[in-house]
Amino acid sequence: MAEQLEAEDETLDQTRIDAVLAAVEAGDSAAIDALLEPLHAADIADFLEQIGASDRRAFLALWSHEIDGEILSEISDAIREEVIESLPPEVLADAVRDLESDDVVDILEDLDEPQQELILDALEDADRVAVEQAMAYPEYSAGRLMQRETVVAPEHWTVGEAIDFLRKSEHLPDQFYHVILVDPRMKPVGYATLGRILSAARSVKLADIVEESFRTVEATDPEADVAYIFNQYHLISCPVVDAGGRLVGVITIDDAMNVLDEEHEEDMLRLAGVGDDADVSDGAFATMKQRLPWLVVNLFTASLSAIVISQFQATLSTLVILAALMPIVASTGGIAGTQSLAVAVRALATRDLTRANAGRVVRRELGAGVLNGLGLAVILGIAGVLIFGDWHLGMVLGLAMIVNQIVAALGGVLVPLTLERFGLDPALASGTFVTTLTDVMGFFAFLGLASVVLI
């Protein structure tokens, strides 16, 4: 089985996972090596995330000596601590020594203090100082995201001098895209890509081939702002400076894109009310702790809908059919609100929705709500006549749908805008508020109109 899989494409599929687990059960380390050798570190990290805790412990008991820094950096936060605890000290030391400082910081951020000390003790003195300095910056800041390893050159150097320097350097970063030009005070003044350096004549000054995209960020800037800058200006790396403007590190595009991915994931999880750190490898108790608070909040907000409905008991007792039709109005409004909310939260995150264009976006959502409401009202009006033989009932359904679609469209954009205005995360509670708003207004409009028109 191992030989057959090794000859096939280098992918992690269920057949390979089953084969590795069979080798673990047999205690066959050689078979595990053969099965995992073709895989990328990210695929091995995925394997560790997909198997159960007991299988993971048995696997690490046999294969922990092969875990390297790249695999550690790819493993999700939810199980990284468990994996690190399973590694022998010497394996952990070798693993973290292979990593750039930013990757070490990323690992340390999610560990308890004893494990942080374990990793810091495994580093060389110079590397430990660099990591500790990065950890001193605020959480979720550029200082935590940057790597200390940079490639710099004086601003007066020529291309030839830069190439000679690079060839002689023994400790260049594993990945870098720019040579950063600095003045005598170590303040970055520009950068040149490796491609431009290699394609220019040796006599050309580096200052003459610098990129127009050059900009810097301060170490204390929020990492979300850094990710926005990378995305907005199509950067591949960005120097990081201290309060005095001196170079302290560099952020590369892979780290910035990781932040964007995390921001997107966080928004999605918060909109669903399942917590920022929800993961498929979490246990039942951890999952309960993440979800129960929002379920309790939703329980109280749902009570508002019940209160509204209770005010129309006489109407419902007279026309029982209304009870069967109420979910149509509420459900359709909830979906429309979620659609509007998803677009608004995403636009706020990417800064496409600002105070400058908020009015235009609100008017657009209002127009969309009216048009959606009219379209659905026609369908429900016809259904009311054909199914129930009562055009009054169809009219009530249609009017209630128009009202609720307008409320849903406006609520989906105004609720996150309001939360943003007060400095709150628009993804955190918007879903609960918008759902409550559409339910309450949907029931009120439908039952209120029914009381006036049908009774």
Side-chain angles (χ1 to χ4, degrees):
M1 175 69 76
E3 291 77 7
Q4 178 183 353
L5 284 170
E6 189 177 8
E8 294 175 359
D9 58 355
E10 302 172 2
T11 58
L12 179 69
D13 54 21
Q14 191 58 48
T15 302
R16 190 179 295 270
I17 292 174
D18 292 340
V20 174
L21 292 178
V24 170
E25 186 174 353
D28 190 346
S29 298
I32 297 174
D33 287 341
L35 288 163
L36 296 185
E37 192 276 332
L39 298 184
H40 188 274
D43 292 323
I44 298 175
D46 283 346
F47 167 75
L48 287 167
E49 294 166 9
Q50 292 178 29
I51 61 178
S54 58
D55 288 333
R56 192 157 50 239
R57 286 191 294 270
F59 169 78
L60 290 171
L62 287 170
W63 209 72
S64 63
H65 61 288
E66 297 293 340
I67 300 291
D68 59 21
E70 192 174 356
I71 295 173
L72 278 182
S73 66
E74 294 285 352
I75 296 173
S76 69
D77 301 342
I79 67 165
R80 183 184 288 152
E81 188 172 348
E82 174 191 337
V83 172
I84 288 176
E85 286 178 348
S86 302
L87 298 181
E90 62 276 8
V91 173
L92 180 61
D94 289 339
V96 295
R97 287 194 194 106
D98 294 337
L99 294 174
E100 303 286 0
S101 58
D102 59 324
D103 293 323
V104 178
V105 170
D106 183 52
I107 291 175
L108 288 178
E109 284 180 324
D110 301 303
L111 299 179
D112 296 330
E113 189 171 342
Q115 288 185 311
Q116 288 183 351
E117 283 300 322
L118 190 65
I119 289 179
L120 288 172
D121 290 341
L123 299 173
E124 302 291 340
D125 290 342
D127 294 333
R128 174 168 182 152
V129 169
V131 170
E132 287 179 332
Q133 287 176 342
M135 291 290 289
Y137 289 108
E139 195 172 7
Y140 307 116
S141 67
R144 291 284 188 98
L145 195 62
M146 70 182 182
Q147 65 181 52
R148 306 283 294 194
E149 300 83 5
T150 60
V151 181
V152 301
E155 58 183 332
H156 61 269
W157 270 12
T158 63
V159 166
E161 290 173 312
I163 291 175
D164 293 341
F165 167 75
L166 293 174
R167 286 174 175 169
K168 294 177 183 177
S169 297
E170 297 180 0
H171 302 290
L172 292 175
D174 290 338
Q175 292 184 357
F176 68 97
Y177 310 100
H178 289 118
V179 173
I180 303 170
L181 309 188
V182 295
D183 65 14
R185 294 169 296 176
M186 280 301 290
K187 293 184 177 182
V189 295
Y191 53 41
T193 63
L194 293 177
R196 286 190 129 184
I197 290 174
L198 293 175
S199 62
R202 289 182 59 90
S203 59
V204 173
K205 289 187 175 297
L206 290 177
D208 294 334
I209 58 171
V210 294
E211 292 287 298
E212 293 181 0
S213 63
F214 172 76
R215 61 191 63 241
T216 63
V217 296
E218 284 199 24
T220 53
D221 288 346
E223 62 178 23
D225 292 348
V226 174
Y228 170 79
I229 290 172
F230 268 82
N231 190 50
Q232 180 74 4
Y233 301 110
H234 312 296
L235 304 183
I236 55 175
S237 72
C238 183
V240 182
V241 297
D242 60 18
R246 292 177 293 274
L247 181 69
V248 292
V250 66
I251 295 173
T252 52
I253 188 170
D254 56 326
D255 293 315
M257 292 306 101
N258 284 340
V259 173
L260 277 180
D261 287 342
E262 290 169 3
E263 291 283 324
H264 297 166
E265 180 182 348
E266 180 183 283
D267 286 345
M268 181 178 67
L269 293 174
R270 286 186 168 186
L271 278 171
V274 294
D276 298 352
D277 303 319
D279 192 273
V280 293
S281 60
D282 291 340
F285 185 71
T287 301
M288 179 275 291
K289 287 198 302 181
Q290 292 164 352
R291 300 182 185 180
L292 184 59
W294 285 110
L295 291 175
V296 172
V297 171
N298 191 66
L299 184 65
F300 284 103
T301 56
S303 300
L304 296 175
S305 299
I307 292 171
V308 170
I309 295 172
S310 68
Q311 304 305 307
F312 297 93
Q313 291 185 37
T315 303
L316 288 168
S317 61
T318 304
L319 289 171
V320 179
I321 189 61
L322 296 178
L325 297 175
M326 281 178 1
I328 296 176
V329 178
S331 176
T332 310
I335 293 172
T338 301
Q339 291 173 334
S340 178
L341 176 63
V343 173
V345 169
R346 185 72 196 97
L348 284 169
T350 58
R351 305 184 189 182
D352 292 328
L353 176 56
T354 64
R355 293 184 185 181
N357 65 352
R360 178 176 59 81
V361 173
V362 170
R363 289 192 296 272
R364 184 200 69 179
E365 291 296 330
L366 175 60
V370 171
L371 293 175
N372 285 335
L374 288 172
L376 293 170
V378 171
I379 296 172
L380 287 173
I382 295 173
V385 174
L386 295 179
I387 298 174
F388 303 106
D390 187 347
W391 70 270
H392 292 94
L393 180 59
M395 182 181 69
V396 167
L397 273 170
L399 290 174
M401 187 61 70
I402 292 173
V403 171
N404 208 21
Q405 287 295 306
I406 293 173
V407 169
L410 290 178
V413 67
L414 290 177
V415 168
L417 276 173
T418 302
L419 292 174
E420 174 88 357
R421 182 71 178 271
F422 287 100
L424 301 174
D425 189 333
L428 184 59
S430 295
T432 300
F433 289 138
V434 172
T435 301
T436 301
L437 186 63
T438 55
D439 285 350
V440 170
M441 292 305 299
F443 291 140
F444 182 79
F446 180 54
L447 296 177
L449 286 168
S451 299
V452 173
V453 176
L454 302 177
I455 302 301

